Amino acid sequence: MAGSLPDEDESVLDISEQTKRPLDLALRQQRIESWNPILDPVWVIGALCVLGLVFVPLGYYFKSLSDAVVEIKETYDSYEFYQDENVLEEKPCAIGNAVNNGTECIIEMKVPKDMKPPILIHYEIDNFYQNHRYYVKSRNDNQLLGSLERSSLEDDLCEPLNELNGVWLNPCGLIANTFFNDIIKLEEGTSTSSDGNEPLVMLEKGIAWKSDLEFRFNQPIGFKYEECEACDASCCSDDEDSEWPCNPEEDKKGEPYLYIDTDYKYTDRSSNPNPVCYRYSYPNEKTTQYLYETYNQVIDPIEGVTNEHFAVWMRVAALPTFRKLYGWIEQPIAAGAVLRFKVTNNWAVQSFEGSKTLIVSTNNAFGGKNEWFGLYFIAFGFLCLIVGCAFMAKHILKPRRLGDKKYLLYKKDQ
């Protein structure tokens, strides 16, 4: 065609004006020096033997770390219990499909070996798919950060748990509204610290990621609370437009929205031996059901979505069988000690054919007990040694004639 020019003709534009021309760099022009190993039998045999000699000792080391972890497990409710009436009679913690049943039971665990702190208390759920796509996306992150604004897109994400009986849910979505709300309390157990035998204390602070608590969860904008002078009606006003209105519900009419800090979460017991009362106010209280109202046995109105158990639950698991941290003990426990837990059952597992297990364990640099981690290293190491020895025998007994490397021609030599 008239006027056409060859592709190699650089006279069309000056090189300085060719803005799309690749830079004359080794990386852009594929001139970077590279190592081109010739995988002859000696190299392959040597590499396999080195891998085997490294992986086998590492595997035994990792296995020894796992074996040193002390772990005690007790499944206290499971779908399998309901398949045999004789088994079910021996399981007082089983609640069937009775959600928020509140049944209390005692779980006793005998410590087989000395346990050094930190001692972790987990609950393990089986056959619950937190990793399902529909479940994972069913949340409103802006709402969890305190926003009261709503959009159609965020409402769609939370379906079908946007509202309940005409009342908006805050937080909405499947994750928040399937929160694990069993209550686990350490009733009895003694430590073997240098101070002598002292009662064990299960701590429930410090179980969630610090970054989650700082950047992913906030109380709703407009929420406020303060300490009351007295735990009575003087804490509120009958005026609905007041800063601290009284509860309008018939059975609580005239009473303040009041939280009594009996667990001393926000009060120093040493400075104030009597529980302190706090009045609080949530925005849009009449048209919204907040987390503390949905799970009033676990979540108090002062902390709301910043509750650490809730933050742990909201970080969804990747597998259908998973553990989540419930608490921890920073005191040593001697072998033979008996730990006594009181569990208040609210979270039903029969409907999805799952199970709930209470786990007490120590840990190591790689987490909890995991025998397979070390065994995989051992198996791979021995496989490398066996294959390496087989190749070596073949190379010695019946070697294959190899070509001369000096005749290899590389692109740069052309």
Side-chain angles (χ1 to χ4, degrees), residues 253-269:
K253 198 166 185 178
E255 296 181 11
Y257 289 100
L258 198 65
Y259 170 68
I260 305 175
D261 189 17
T262 54
D263 294 330
Y264 292 90
K265 291 183 179 179
Y266 314 103
T267 313
D268 185 0
R269 187 191 294 265

Side-chain angles (χ1 to χ4, degrees), residues 48 50-64 366 370-385:
L48 288 171
V50 169
L51 285 173
L53 292 174
V54 170
F55 271 71
V56 170
L58 276 177
Y60 279 108
Y61 173 68
F62 293 152
K63 189 175 184 303
S64 68
F366 297 97
N370 186 353
E371 296 178 352
W372 291 104
F373 185 60
L375 291 176
Y376 286 142
F377 271 73
I378 295 170
F380 179 75
F382 275 117
L383 177 64
C384 288
L385 288 174

Side-chain angles (χ1 to χ4, degrees), residues 34-263:
S34 62
W35 178 48
N36 300 286
I38 306 301
L39 296 179
D40 59 22
V42 175
W43 270 98
V44 174
I45 292 168
L48 288 171
C49 291
V50 169
L51 285 173
L53 292 174
V54 170
F55 271 71
V56 170
L58 276 177
Y60 279 108
Y61 173 68
F62 293 152
K63 189 175 184 303
S64 68
L65 290 179
S66 177
D67 292 341
V69 172
V70 183
E71 182 177 276
I72 320 166
K73 303 174 68 171
E74 179 68 32
T75 299
Y76 63 95
D77 196 2
S78 171
Y79 172 77
E80 296 180 356
F81 295 170
Y82 307 97
Q83 311 308 306
D84 189 334
E85 292 186 2
N86 294 327
V87 173
L88 187 59
E89 290 176 358
E90 299 174 358
K91 302 293 182 180
C93 290
I95 60 173
N97 284 321
V99 178
N100 295 327
N101 181 272
T103 298
E104 294 184 350
C105 63
I106 299 297
I107 298 176
E108 290 189 350
M109 295 179 167
K110 188 172 183 179
V111 179
K113 300 178 182 178
D114 290 348
M115 301 181 77
K116 297 180 180 179
I119 300 165
L120 308 178
I121 293 92
H122 290 87
Y123 59 89
E124 181 178 271
I125 307 296
D126 178 54
N127 203 38
F128 189 82
Y129 288 80
Q130 270 199 321
N131 59 348
H132 192 286
R133 177 177 172 272
Y134 196 78
Y135 187 92
V136 169
K137 71 176 187 177
S138 185
R139 60 188 291 160
N140 185 337
D141 287 312
N142 288 329
Q143 189 184 59
L144 292 169
L145 279 169
S147 174
L148 298 177
E149 297 180 2
R150 296 173 49 211
S151 67
S152 58
L153 176 60
E154 291 170 333
D155 286 350
D156 289 342
L157 290 176
C158 279
E159 289 293 345
L161 287 176
N162 248 324
E163 59 178 273
L164 189 65
N165 299 325
V167 177
W168 291 107
L169 295 175
N170 187 334
C172 64
L174 291 171
I175 309 177
N177 289 280
T178 54
F179 172 52
F180 180 83
N181 60 333
D182 280 5
I183 303 171
I184 303 170
K185 296 293 182 185
L186 179 59
E187 292 281 292
E188 186 178 324
T190 54
S191 167
T192 55
S193 63
S194 57
D195 299 331
N197 292 339
E198 58 181 17
L200 292 174
V201 177
M202 183 179 74
L203 306 173
E204 297 179 41
K205 292 292 184 183
I207 61 174
W209 289 25
K210 186 177 179 181
S211 58
D212 283 357
L213 297 176
E214 289 182 359
F215 305 114
R216 300 184 70 180
F217 300 98
N218 277 316
Q219 285 286 61
I221 296 172
F223 165 78
K224 57 184 181 295
Y225 76 98
E226 68 179 23
E227 184 178 330
C228 276
E229 295 181 359
C231 298
D232 54 31
S234 63
C235 274
C236 67
S237 170
D238 292 328
D239 184 2
E240 293 185 1
D241 297 327
S242 168
E243 185 180 11
W244 306 102
C246 293
N247 198 324
E249 297 180 20
E250 285 299 325
D251 57 336
K252 297 181 180 179
K253 198 166 185 178
E255 296 181 11
Y257 289 100
L258 198 65
Y259 170 68
I260 305 175
D261 189 17
T262 54
D263 294 330

